[in-house]
Amino acid sequence: MTSPGLRWTDIWKLAWRGLTRRRVRTLLTTLGITVAVASMVIFLSLGEGIRKVFVSQLGGIGPDVQVSLTPLSQGLALQPNLPQKTADDIQALAPELGIQTVTPVIMAVRGGLEVTQSVVLYGLPAAQGIGTVFPTTRAAQGRALTAADEGAGVAVAGAKAAQNLRLEVGSTLNLNRRNQVKVIGVLAPESGLVDNFIFIPLTTLQRSEGAAGRVSLVAVKLDNPRDARRVADVLSGRLDLEAGTQSDFLSFIDRALIISDAVRFGISLIALIVGGLAVANTVMMGVFERTREFGTLRAIGARPSFVRSLVLTESLLLSLVGGVGGVLLGLAGIAGVNLYTQQLAGIDAAALTPRLVLLALAISLLLGLLSGLLPARNAGRMSIVGALGRL
């Protein structure tokens, strides 16, 4: 509520004038809020970006049903602890369940001191070929796996894996001290995830891993992918194994990202609290330095509510400018993150979404409101005589 002769526009003008009068302090405070909001935006954008990656790149590729001993809630099945004969048990149910292909798979991760040196080794029957599980892949150089490659020391590298490890047709890749494979093909860029795979004949990778007769999982393709949930339930019940669909995997990823979002937000909250304290300090100092000004406003008819509104407006302006600056700085940070992850894995790991922008601005305004409450209360309780008499 404004006072006689004073309008809401006067509040904004006086608030802006009060902030620009103390330019250095205002600038430093705004920078503090900008950095705090930018850190929150960058941290949370990682979750948004990874969600987009998994939805866009796993929504239409990979097996319709994945059978393993490890539930999806515990992540990808990497340990070769599933008997390979499980594939035969599933194949026997193919006519009844509308199963198109059954592919035993063994997976292993090879990592180096540098993240770019880490790849996923993906072993599957050479006779079935990579296209059985990932139908849109094609060789850009050399050739894909054929039935004659089973048991041989050969491999087909994904585009990003080949780039990171500097592989080309004819290159040799060491699996361990006793086993190595020769690259016979490099795939065309397809998706950020599959591009980091190196495909090896099943028995070749089993021999390298010391896992003869065992696999990590069995990938199942269906005649009708819409039956995935029903087929997964049947396989789980009859074989006493874990069977998950693409939707199950995406749901697991989403739950994991929600938890990681909460952790990242908690870390950002520390910086936001520091930024809020800086706003409160700046506004409180402004109230102290402008005691006579507030006394004059009261003397010419301004009500305590007007003075409180003026102080709150200053706090909100500080936070709003800092919030907008934080979003812009966060956008620059996101571009830097994506530049790195594109070089690393061929994906954009961070994304600035509309809901993230709205969240950042809403938190900035809430920060400004909370930071200005105490200074506004003190300013509104000043007596006219005491304010004018203060030197």
Side-chain angles (χ1 to χ4, degrees):
M1 181 171 61
T2 59
S3 302
L6 296 172
R7 299 166 300 179
W8 280 107
T9 54
D10 297 321
I11 294 180
W12 290 96
K13 291 178 181 178
L14 289 172
W16 182 255
R17 186 182 305 167
L19 292 175
T20 55
R21 189 184 305 168
R22 308 176 302 278
R23 294 181 180 178
V24 175
R25 185 192 304 165
T26 299
L27 177 61
L28 292 176
T29 303
T30 304
L31 284 176
I33 301 171
T34 297
V35 171
V37 173
S39 66
M40 180 192 71
V41 168
I42 294 173
F43 283 161
L44 295 184
S45 70
L46 293 172
E48 297 292 326
I50 293 173
R51 280 188 182 88
K52 284 188 173 183
V53 168
F54 276 99
V55 170
S56 63
Q57 298 188 5
L58 284 186
I61 64 174
D64 297 318
V65 178
Q66 173 181 304
V67 179
S68 66
L69 287 177
T70 306
L72 285 175
S73 60
Q74 296 181 17
L76 286 173
L78 295 178
Q79 292 297 323
N81 52 12
L82 183 69
Q84 187 172 338
K85 68 180 186 64
T86 303
D88 298 329
D89 297 335
I90 297 174
Q91 187 65 54
L93 298 173
E96 175 187 347
L97 300 179
I99 294 175
Q100 187 179 98
T101 60
V102 178
T103 307
V105 173
I106 181 171
M107 299 177 68
V109 175
R110 288 293 180 272
L113 294 178
E114 295 183 17
V115 179
T116 55
Q117 301 302 304
S118 298
V119 294
V120 176
L121 304 181
Y122 197 100
L124 75 173
Q128 291 187 344
I130 302 170
T132 303
V133 182
F134 305 103
T136 58
T137 56
R138 63 181 181 82
Q141 302 174 31
R143 63 178 178 83
L145 297 175
T146 63
D149 294 322
E150 191 61 60
V154 297
V156 175
K160 185 56 65 173
Q163 177 184 327
N164 289 342
L165 298 181
R166 299 178 182 177
L167 300 174
E168 56 186 19
V169 176
S171 298
T172 298
L173 175 66
N174 292 321
L175 301 181
N176 51 44
R177 297 187 65 176
R178 295 184 177 182
N179 296 273
Q180 59 183 24
V181 291
K182 181 180 179 180
V183 177
I184 60 172
V186 176
L187 298 177
E190 181 64 31
S191 72
L193 296 173
V194 178
D195 286 350
N196 288 278
F197 287 178
I198 293 181
F199 296 93
I200 299 174
L202 179 66
T203 53
T204 302
L205 189 54
Q206 284 177 326
R207 182 173 63 249
S208 172
E209 296 297 305
R214 290 177 285 126
V215 295
S216 301
L217 59 93
V218 176
V220 177
K221 278 285 188 178
L222 303 177
D223 294 329
N224 185 359
R226 294 181 180 179
D227 293 335
R229 179 72 273 156
R230 177 182 65 83
V231 173
D233 291 340
V234 172
L235 292 177
S236 294
R238 294 192 185 181
L239 303 180
D240 192 24
L241 294 170
E242 298 289 341
T245 66
Q246 286 185 357
S247 296
D248 294 333
F249 183 68
L250 291 176
S251 297
F252 162 70
I253 293 297
D254 190 58
R255 289 194 301 271
L257 289 174
I258 289 174
I259 295 173
S260 65
D261 284 344
V263 173
R264 288 192 295 270
F265 182 75
I267 296 173
S268 303
L269 189 61
I270 298 174
L272 291 171
I273 291 174
V274 173
L277 292 175
V279 172
N281 178 69
T282 297
V283 177
M284 185 68 81
M285 289 295 293
V287 170
F288 178 78
E289 294 170 354
R290 296 157 61 199
T291 301
R292 291 178 63 85
E293 178 184 328
F294 291 146
T296 301
L297 287 174
R298 291 289 309 280
I300 63 175
R303 296 176 181 174
S305 60
F306 180 88
V307 176
R308 287 194 295 268
S309 299
L310 175 60
V311 175
L312 276 177
T313 301
E314 289 187 9
S315 180
L316 289 172
L317 272 175
L318 266 176
S319 298
L320 181 60
V321 173
V324 173
V327 171
L328 295 177
L329 182 60
L331 186 60
I334 289 171
V337 170
N338 287 338
L339 181 63
Y340 174 72
T341 56
Q342 276 291 342
Q343 294 176 347
L344 178 66
I347 61 173
D348 288 335
L352 184 63
T353 59
R355 71 173 181 176
L356 184 53
V357 172
L358 292 176
L359 176 64
L361 295 178
I363 290 179
S364 298
L365 290 175
L366 179 62
L367 190 69
L369 179 63
L370 295 177
S371 301
L373 287 177
L374 181 59
R377 176 176 174 273
N378 291 342
R381 295 178 64 179
M382 287 183 183
S383 66
I384 299 177
V385 175
L388 292 177
R390 189 169 182 174
L391 295 178

